[in-house]
């Protein structure tokens, strides 16, 4: 068996975790019919987003019933992602934290061309974590698939938490490297395992 980067990680207690908002609607079983490759490589599928309201249409007169996506909802999307080394969520290991999810929304949300920017800062469990890039990739893919196309996602290692943060951040920001990584069958297997808890919630 391979040596773990952090054989004894700190696990946050229930009281230290951010609270999760109740889901707006129940998700259908439609997302379970496709494989992870289709899930990760396909265009964004709103069926994967537990906050998407499929019965919403442009002709609805009551716009007050649709709330904009906020930091809590973004956090709820990524918190259950499983760590690749341990059978624990990124939330319980403190890798993702609500206060490290940042959302910059455009001033005019009614403008269809306006883009929102999401920044998630990750805190690896150890400063030499060799799977930081894989974890960041998992978070990025999850958000890109779950959020509407008007959201631009950036995932970074929090400053001062990893010895090679600059290199990891460069890899996570490079769209060509991300696309090439998703063609790797071994990596796809790891991502499938990491995403499984997200599909069960």
């Amino acid at each position: 068996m391979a040596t773990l980067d952090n054989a004894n990680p700190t696990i946050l207690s229930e009281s230290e975790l951010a609270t999760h908002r109740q889901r707006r609607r129940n998700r259908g079983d439609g997302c379970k019919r496709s494989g992870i490759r289709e899930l990760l490589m396909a265009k964004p599928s709103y069926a994967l987003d537990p906050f998407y309201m499929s019965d919403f249409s442009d002709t609805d007169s009551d716009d007050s019933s649709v709330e904009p996506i906020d930091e809590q909802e973004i956090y709820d999307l990524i918190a259950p992602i499983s760590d690749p080394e341990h059978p624990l969520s990124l939330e319980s290991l403190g890798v993702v934290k609500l206060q490290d999810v940042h959302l910059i929304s455009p001033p005019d949300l009614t403008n269809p061309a306006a883009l929102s920017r999401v920044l998630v800062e990750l805190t690896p469990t150890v400063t030499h974590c060799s799977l930081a890039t894989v974890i960041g990739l998992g978070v990025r893919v999850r958000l890109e698939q779950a959020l509407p196309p008007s959201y631009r996602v950036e995932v970074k290692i929090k400053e001062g938490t990893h010895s090679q943060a600059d290199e990891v951040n460069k890899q996570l920001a490079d769209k060509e490297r991300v696309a090439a990584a998703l063609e790797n069958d071994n990596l796809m297997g790891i991502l499938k395992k990491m995403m499984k808890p997200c599909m069960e919630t």
Side-chain angles (χ1 to χ4, degrees):
M1 185 171 175
T3 305
L4 301 176
D5 279 348
N6 187 0
N8 191 15
T10 301
I11 302 169
L12 300 178
S13 70
E14 192 71 31
S15 64
E16 295 174 291
L17 301 177
T19 59
H20 294 275
R21 180 176 292 154
Q22 285 287 4
R23 305 296 191 222
R24 289 188 188 168
R25 70 172 191 83
N26 291 332
R27 196 170 17 140
D29 293 331
C31 66
K32 294 185 180 182
R33 61 176 152 65
S34 62
I36 189 73
R37 184 173 298 271
E38 290 80 15
L39 173 72
L40 297 177
M41 297 302 289
K43 292 185 179 184
S45 169
Y46 299 120
L48 298 177
D49 181 2
F51 310 114
Y52 181 72
M53 300 175 69
S54 62
D55 55 348
F56 172 76
S57 71
D58 291 338
T59 60
D60 286 345
S61 60
D62 186 14
D63 289 341
S64 64
S65 65
V66 178
E67 300 172 21
I69 295 170
D70 62 11
E71 289 90 347
Q72 178 69 54
E73 290 172 309
I74 293 168
Y75 174 79
D76 289 347
L77 287 170
I78 60 176
I81 296 174
S82 178
D83 183 81
E85 279 188 324
H86 305 283
L88 301 165
S89 70
L90 297 183
E91 173 188 41
S92 65
L93 291 171
V95 175
V96 295
K97 300 173 184 164
L98 180 58
Q99 66 264 27
D100 293 334
V101 175
H102 310 282
L103 175 63
I104 302 168
S105 296
D108 181 13
L109 291 173
T110 60
N111 178 357
L115 297 175
S116 296
R117 182 173 169 253
V118 175
L119 170 63
V120 177
E121 295 179 293
L122 304 176
T123 304
T125 58
V126 290
T127 58
H128 58 278
C129 178
S130 63
L131 294 170
T133 306
V134 173
I135 293 169
L137 181 63
V139 170
R140 179 175 169 168
V141 167
R142 172 72 174 138
L143 291 177
E144 286 178 349
Q145 292 300 311
L147 295 173
S150 60
Y151 285 75
R152 295 297 175 256
V153 176
E154 182 180 4
V155 178
K156 297 175 104 176
I157 302 298
K158 193 169 186 176
E159 190 174 331
T161 62
H162 195 278
S163 59
Q164 296 178 337
D166 290 340
E167 181 58 33
V168 173
N169 290 339
K170 197 183 306 183
Q171 289 176 2
L172 292 173
D174 188 331
K175 290 181 182 179
E176 289 179 15
R177 278 185 174 179
V178 169
L182 293 177
E183 293 293 322
N184 181 310
D185 288 334
N186 290 334
L187 183 56
M188 291 300 293
I190 293 170
L191 289 176
K192 179 179 179 180
K193 183 178 175 187
M194 289 172 64
M195 298 295 173
K196 190 174 180 183
C198 299
M199 302 302 127
E200 296 170 348
T201 58

